[in-house]
């Protein structure tokens, strides 16, 4: 079946970039990305390409090339479904907040809503592709909704369906590259014709040997497992980092040493403030839920440990900041560098910064938060604390009386006066070459720099009389003292 019209439901971090690349690589296919969030759609359609709703290097250039030619963003969900030969479901599947599986299982209500929309409006033969990160057996839910939809309606509309699973493996910040040169494309399904229709789209730019066909359940489980394995590496290295700090080793050296074993490999071994992002925690919790559901409590506990370690590690960092600042941060001025969950994205979902900032505000700190791509509106939504807009305009003497608050800042230099500490939480490129000599003259002594991303060099900081802590770096500890204790 030749695909001429694609509809993608969900214009988010997955749907937007993925459809931009499909339209770019397949000029003969009309691609419409629909979303019921009107603001988001307007942003995708904005004249100024700097105002797209998501920041992703290289994305604006591709949207500029394709939008209006064969790539469209709209809120006309029903119309778009009607026209489509292939429908991608790319809506969000956050963790359930209440009911059975609360805090663990994914909430499928948006996926279900989409399946119902498709059942109501699709005409002719439609291939439905699930792209959202989903718990295993979601395709079954979609299928039963489509097949169970009123038979007479299907008959009048002459509707038939095939459901495929095609999980997305792009990482934010490198999404365009990941989509253009994927390690693999995974397509799960039962119907050979439908699988080939989707394969043919990808084979416009992906080598055939990288397009893997599996059964639908393997495809869904592979997505959860890939993210669980990646997240597990980060919890592993962060746990070793804590041990390094305690014993005098340096986690970077350990990572280099173990990473050169080709069986282990060198990627994803950067100790940091703990993993964030919309996928890792959610996918592992899904795995935990599924394992418990299928009577495998040991398997569930194993994977749950990865999430628990991550959460412990994030709190460990905020505790450590408090400890180093003489056990109290009340009324102290702390600059937070980075709020996004990683560099090169404006996404803050599950960002370590949220937990760490909340902890520090709770302890009474005055946080001056900098991020080149995250808006103060977003920070407020994440912290669930109003921005103290007077904070940055207050004189230093007034600041010393304030307790527990935050404000967003545009530049580091304009807010550094009398700061007690700087905490680096996202590895934005601009934090690699800060002028520490100037910064050092403006901070209140003893001043601390906490580098949770290993972006700084020790000598650059210590030479200017600043105290320096780096994640996983115990090399400055006196090991003989430690052993005696
Ligand atoms: C992840 C998967 O990589 C991707 O394949 C899947 O489709 C979605 O989930 P993403 O969450 O966008 O992608 O980013 P990723 O690069 O995996 O980083 C996740 C988190 O781990 C970030 O907070 C990052 O800072 C952290 N991380 C990553 C580390 O702390 N150390 C590392 O070595 C790598
Ligand atoms: P992801 O990272 O998985 O792409 P996002 O939250 O960035 O997740 O994007 C999902 C998008 O799906 C949101 O913009 C949301 O408005 C949209 N969405 C959710 N449910 C529906 C629906 N029933 N119809 C249309 N759009 C939907």
């Amino acid at each position: 079946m030749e695909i001429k019209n694609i509809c993608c439901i969900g214009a988010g971090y997955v749907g937007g970039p993925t459809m931009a690349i499909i339209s770019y690589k397949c000029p003969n296919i009309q691609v419409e990305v629909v979303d019921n969030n009107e603001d988001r759609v307007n942003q995708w359609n904005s004249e100024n390409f700097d105002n797209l709703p998501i920041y992703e290097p290289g994305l604006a250039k591709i949207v500029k090339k394709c939008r209006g030619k064969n790539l469209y963003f709209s809120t006309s969900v029903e119309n778009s479904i009607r026209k489509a030969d292939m429908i991608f479901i790319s809506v969000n599947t956050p963790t359930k907040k209440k009911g059975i599986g609360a805090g663990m299982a994914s909430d499928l209500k948006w996926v279900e809503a989409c399946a119902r929309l498709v059942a109501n409006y699709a005409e002719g033969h439609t291939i439905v592709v699930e792209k959202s990160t989903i718990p295993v057996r979601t395709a079954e839910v979609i299928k039963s909704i489509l097949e169970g939809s009123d038979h007479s309606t299907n008959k009048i509309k002459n509707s038939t369906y095939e459901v495929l699973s095609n999980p997305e493996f792009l990482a934010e910040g490198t999404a365009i590259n990941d989509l253009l040169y994927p390690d693999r494309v995974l397509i799960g399904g039962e119907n050979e014709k439908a699988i080939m229709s989707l394969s043919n789209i990808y084979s416009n730019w992906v080598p055939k040997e990288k397009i893997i066909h599996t059964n639908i359940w393997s495809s869904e489980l592979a997505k959860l497992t890939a993210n669980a394995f990646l997240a597990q590496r980060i919890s592993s290295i962060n746990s070793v980092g804590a041990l390094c700090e305690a014993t005098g080793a340096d986690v970077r050296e350990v990572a280099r040493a173990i990473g050169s074993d080709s069986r282990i490999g060198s990627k994803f071994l950067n100790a940091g403030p703990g993993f964030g992002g919309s996928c890792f925690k959610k996918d592992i919790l899904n795995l935990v839920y599924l394992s418990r559901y299928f009577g495998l409590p040991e398997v569930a506990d194993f994977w749950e440990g990865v999430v628990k370690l991550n959460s412990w590690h994030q709190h460990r960092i905020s505790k450590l900041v408090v400890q180093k600042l003489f056990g109290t941060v009340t009324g102290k001025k702390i600059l937070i560098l980075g709020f996004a969950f990683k560099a090169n994205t404006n996404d803050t979902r599950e960002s370590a910064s949220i937990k760490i900032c909340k902890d520090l505000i709770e302890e009474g700190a005055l946080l001056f938060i900098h991020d080149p791509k995250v808006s103060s509106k977003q920070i407020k939504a994440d912290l669930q604390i109003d921005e103290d807009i007077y904070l940055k305009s207050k004189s230093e003497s007034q600041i010393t009386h304030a307790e527990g608050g935050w404000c967003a800042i545009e530049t580091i230099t304009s807010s550094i006066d009398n700061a007690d500490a700087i905490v680096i939480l996202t590895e934005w490129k601009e934090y690699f070459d800060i002028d520490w000599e100037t910064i050092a003259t403006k901070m209140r002594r003893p001043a601390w720099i906490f580098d949770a991303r290993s972006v700084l060099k020790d000598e650059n900081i210590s030479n200017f009389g600043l105290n320096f802590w780096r994640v996983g770096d115990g090399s400055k500890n006196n090991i003989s003292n430690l052993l005696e204790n």
Side-chain angles (χ1 to χ4, degrees), residues 395-415:
S395 73
E396 296 308 324
S397 60
Q398 284 169 312
I399 279 185
T400 51
H401 299 297
E403 261 184 45
W406 71 276
C407 67
I409 57 170
E410 300 285 323
T411 66
I412 303 164
T413 36
S414 60
S415 309

Side-chain angles (χ1 to χ4, degrees), residues 8-17 34-38 40-41 44 54 74-75 77 90-94 109-115 117 131-133 172 278-279 282 347 349:
C8 171
I9 312 178
Y13 284 89
V14 172
V34 294
D35 202 297
N36 52 12
N37 180 336
E38 202 177 335
R40 209 166 212 192
V41 169
W44 278 110
I54 65 177
S74 111
T75 49
V77 182
S90 289
V91 297
N92 35 339
T93 50
K109 71 177 174 208
W110 288 277
V111 171
E112 195 183 317
C114 288
L117 284 169
K131 251 228 171 284
S132 310
T133 302
E172 288 172 32
S278 69
C279 289
K282 181 183 72 174
D347 195 351
R349 286 177 289 180

Side-chain angles (χ1 to χ4, degrees), residues 437-452:
E437 191 167 7
T438 312
I439 295 284
T441 59
K442 297 186 170 176
M443 294 180 75
R444 184 165 82 151
R445 302 301 172 102
W448 273 91
I449 311 300
F450 298 93
D451 180 5

